[in-house]
Amino acid sequence: MRGEKLITSLDDGRSVWLEGKQIHNISEHSAFRGTLGTIKSLFNMLDDPLQREKVGFLVPETGRYAHSSFLVPYSAQELARRNESFSTWSTATHGMMSRLSDYARSLITGWYAARDELSLLDPSFTDKITAYYEHARDKDLFLTTAIIDPQIDRSNGLDDKRIAERFLHVVKETSEGIIVRGAKMIATGAPYTHDFVIFSFLQFQSQQQKHAHVLIVPANSKGLHIVCRESFADQHEQNHPLSSHYDEMDAVLFFDDVLIPWERVLLYGDTEKVLALRANQTANGLAFHQNVVRFVAKLEFITGVAFAVAESIGVTGFLHIQEKLGELIAQIDVIKSLVIASETTASRDAAGVLVPNLQYIETARNLGTKYYPRAIEILQQVGAGGFVQTPSGIEDFYGPISELMHRYFEGANVSAEKKVALFKLAWDLIGSPLGARHQLYERFYAGDPIRGLASHYNRYDKASLIDPIWELLRAKSKSSLKTH
């Protein structure tokens, strides 16, 4: 099964660090075991005749199913198939795992789909991206991105030597490839990935060639260290149902003179070309589409929890609670509608690839930075003080005061045990370290939300809205002159 193969493949000599120690058996470590179990079950869907059509497509060249994040959509049906694969994985994980490889895979697929256009940036690009796309697709590679530069001193840029030497940069070129040094963050899913897709959000200047690159880096590269944040995984599944299975793990990557073979160097040295690749509409449209489909599943999950909490304590009849729950429904409907709009108004790129409309996708991503914190706030308001009154564990129902536990924790329409289990689930969303991480993630995963909205404004066809205003005023002015 593919899931088991994935887990076995992680024993490849990679350098993973947690709590000051190098972890050698990732699959056996308590910080990673639960999440890997989840990932294994998702990858195994491609081997299940009842599920593989939902998440994959048949590759004619191999006769095997590959995940539909690798599917290049030339029709509305193929675009819908990509949507279904993202939705299936996201629903299975309640939207709580954002970097299940389908985002980074979609980025690679987008570059592959636009390879003829992108070959104008570098004649060797087509061969490189084709070979890698087929390799990643046929080997079921887990991929993730690391595109943020370390927070050293945000008041200074690459003109500051101490910044420049710590941001990932090329220190030497060899016949085998380039040698890079520096750090990248935030690599979500880093311990589980096979390869990292590496580039930068920086707006490069022409003289900053050593920092301008787009790379694909194997996780077990010599000199690459994966430094994990504190684990939020919890082994008490009944008390922490989300933290026990869905801690993706985030990491900072240290590149201590890592050799990147030339075939994995997609672009290097030309700042304008790197910026052009990063802005490619095909790749961004396919990758960001996954972001928004996943977000729908997450909003639906939180809304379901909020509904269940409200019913369990008998507050659904109160107008102010109905208003809040109605707001959650509106959130879902807005993001769903934007997904539909992005697909129904999709346009073809120069190669005939059907690309979702980025205008609507960006709107959904920008709204998401506000929707998710608000959804969590509503859930907090619905359950209120009940969240800090739950007992320490389900085990409390089987002790000497069991009868009292059942009597005083009972809900309006559910047993005491079910109510406590529900509130434990809700607490994992709103009060646990994992829950706090998700609020931070949804605010910032798409970049600075202020810049996101400003960028939306700067790219918008403003004349389409402004011109009718001046036309109206001109018409009114002419009409006024005639009456005088």
Side-chain angles (χ1 to χ4, degrees), residues 14-19 32 144-152 154 166-168 181-191 193 196 198 217 219 223-230 248-256 258 437:
R14 62 187 59 205
S15 177
V16 178
W17 295 85
L18 178 67
E19 298 178 345
F32 310 117
T144 195
T145 59
I147 58 181
I148 307 298
D149 297 296
Q151 291 181 328
I152 305 297
R154 289 293 173 88
R166 299 181 204 187
F167 282 20
L168 190 65
R181 183 186 303 162
K184 297 296 290 188
M185 57 181 272
I186 302 166
T188 302
T193 196
F196 295 100
I198 304 288
V217 182
L224 175 61
H225 300 288
I226 301 169
V227 183
C228 299
R229 59 154 166 78
E230 176 187 359
E248 292 180 284
M249 185 53 75
D250 309 290
V252 176
L253 308 181
F254 295 164
F255 292 79
D256 187 18
V258 176
R437 180 263 182 196

Side-chain angles (χ1 to χ4, degrees), residues 406-464:
H406 283 87
R407 178 185 302 172
Y408 294 119
F409 279 106
E410 187 177 11
N413 55 10
V414 294
S415 69
E417 285 189 67
K418 286 186 177 180
K419 179 186 167 188
V420 168
L422 173 62
F423 272 64
K424 289 286 188 183
L425 171 62
W427 182 255
D428 229 3
L429 276 171
I430 67 172
S432 71
L434 183 76
R437 180 263 182 196
H438 275 270
Q439 282 208 57
L440 191 68
Y441 180 87
E442 296 298 349
R443 285 181 186 273
F444 296 110
Y445 84 91
D448 180 353
I450 294 175
R451 290 183 182 275
L453 285 168
S455 177
H456 207 164
Y457 163 76
N458 289 328
R459 291 197 306 267
Y460 196 81
D461 178 15
K462 293 176 279 291
S464 65

